[in-house]
Amino acid sequence: MKNLRGVVLLDPKDELTPNFLRWLNRRFKYRILGISPLVLKELKGRGLSLTRQVKPLHYPSKELSELVECLSGVLSSVPEDVVESAVMASAYVSPLIVFGKPSKSVLSLATRVVRTVIKLNNALLKLHMRIADYSILDYYVKNLELLERLWKGELSREEFVELRKDIVVRDSKRYWRLTTHPSKSGRKGASKVEVLEEPQPFLAYVDPLSLLIREGRGAEVIRDLGFEDVGAGLVIVPSVIIPSYVIGK
């Protein structure tokens, strides 16, 4: 799908979900967002419909559907719609855009989290959501190379995890505007920026395979599924967490 800006993950039962969808429509007038089959099914079950900018996504292959089943079986505490959305975002080379309750599950799948000390507004979100696009695009080929080497046995699982960790550590530096206290940034207009009482999660690097390997699990993913079939669904997915205060009532 051309011009895909992100994959939306939300809780259809959240009373602010309709507001969130309208907010997305205003923020992404000329770009398309996607939504996974399971999230769309839940949304329709609540009597809600998609806005103009949010389009249904489809599995590029049945093997990626099998990957979601496999990961969901191993990650039993994570809802399947969250796993599916992460795999879809990876396959479509797009960040996740997360709102509401699913953010807790997304954070549980993250190997690194960027926390903002600054209260976000639409301008800051627009800038850093664009940066999240680069976060997945710039390292996509490197991600696939590491996965292929893991499958071929050229990397140990431990080496794979460390190299993926290096990627997110380097990439997280892009978000310095959010993680640096305004008084220390030296940038123009810093005094007008509102500071949060406590840092809040803004971006999570979702990498379920690395987490499983760290826990001594995930062998069945590598053993039972081929890299050529599922590699595209296993890259690190930068996941932007949208705070409810931006959406409003």
Side-chain angles (χ1 to χ4, degrees):
M1 184 179 293
K2 292 184 178 181
N3 294 325
L4 188 67
R5 182 68 181 272
V7 174
V8 178
L9 176 58
L10 48 76
D11 177 10
K13 299 184 290 293
D14 192 316
E15 63 178 10
L16 286 179
T17 288
N19 297 36
F20 174 58
L21 289 170
R22 288 191 289 270
W23 179 85
L24 287 173
N25 209 44
R26 293 193 299 271
R27 299 278 77 77
F28 295 90
K29 290 183 179 180
Y30 307 107
R31 299 292 295 274
I32 300 299
L33 301 168
I35 194 166
S36 81
L38 284 176
V39 179
L40 178 58
K41 181 179 179 181
E42 294 166 8
L43 200 66
K44 288 182 175 179
R46 300 291 297 182
L48 299 173
S49 56
L50 296 179
T51 53
R52 178 171 49 86
Q53 297 304 107
V54 184
K55 306 295 183 183
L57 296 178
H58 306 282
Y59 280 103
S61 67
K62 66 179 181 62
E63 287 82 7
L64 286 179
S65 176
E66 293 170 1
L67 172 63
V68 170
E69 291 180 10
C70 181
L71 289 175
S72 295
V74 182
L75 298 164
S76 55
S77 63
V78 180
E80 189 175 1
D81 61 345
V82 174
V83 176
E84 181 184 70
S85 296
V87 169
M88 284 285 189
S90 174
Y92 280 92
V93 200
S94 299
L96 271 179
I97 301 174
V98 190
F99 180 71
K101 185 178 178 181
S103 62
K104 294 181 180 179
S105 296
V106 165
L107 289 169
S108 76
L109 294 175
T111 55
R112 191 174 184 86
V113 178
V114 173
R115 298 181 185 275
T116 178
V117 300
I118 295 170
K119 188 171 183 180
L120 298 170
N121 54 36
N122 286 327
L124 281 170
L125 273 171
K126 182 178 181 181
L127 170 63
H128 289 89
M129 290 170 80
R130 187 183 306 120
I131 293 173
D133 277 342
Y134 293 118
S135 287
I136 191 167
L137 284 169
D138 290 352
Y139 289 101
Y140 199 79
V141 173
K142 181 64 175 178
N143 267 288
L144 291 178
E145 288 174 351
L146 293 178
L147 286 163
E148 184 173 21
R149 291 176 66 193
L150 175 68
W151 250 262
K152 288 181 176 179
E154 296 174 1
L155 286 177
S156 70
R157 293 173 191 175
E158 294 74 19
E159 288 171 326
F160 172 80
V161 169
E162 283 303 307
L163 288 169
R164 294 266 272 209
K165 178 183 176 182
D166 290 344
I167 287 176
V168 299
V169 168
R170 288 198 304 272
D171 188 76
S172 64
K173 295 176 182 177
R174 297 181 195 255
Y175 302 93
W176 63 269
R177 296 175 185 84
L178 299 180
T179 59
T180 305
H181 194 283
S183 64
K184 299 178 182 179
S185 68
R187 65 183 183 272
K188 190 175 181 180
S191 60
K192 299 179 181 179
V193 175
E194 187 173 350
V195 178
L196 295 167
E197 291 185 8
E198 294 288 338
Q200 295 180 2
F202 167 73
L203 186 119
Y205 290 93
V206 170
D207 186 1
L209 183 58
S210 288
L211 284 181
L212 289 173
I213 291 173
R214 283 182 183 180
E215 297 170 1
R217 299 187 293 160
E220 54 265 61
V221 178
I222 302 168
R223 182 188 64 235
D224 298 340
L225 302 171
F227 162 73
E228 294 81 2
D229 296 324
V230 301
L234 288 170
V235 305
I236 302 166
V237 176
S239 306
V240 177
I241 298 171
I242 306 295
S244 59
Y245 63 75
V246 174
I247 306 304
K249 298 285 185 179

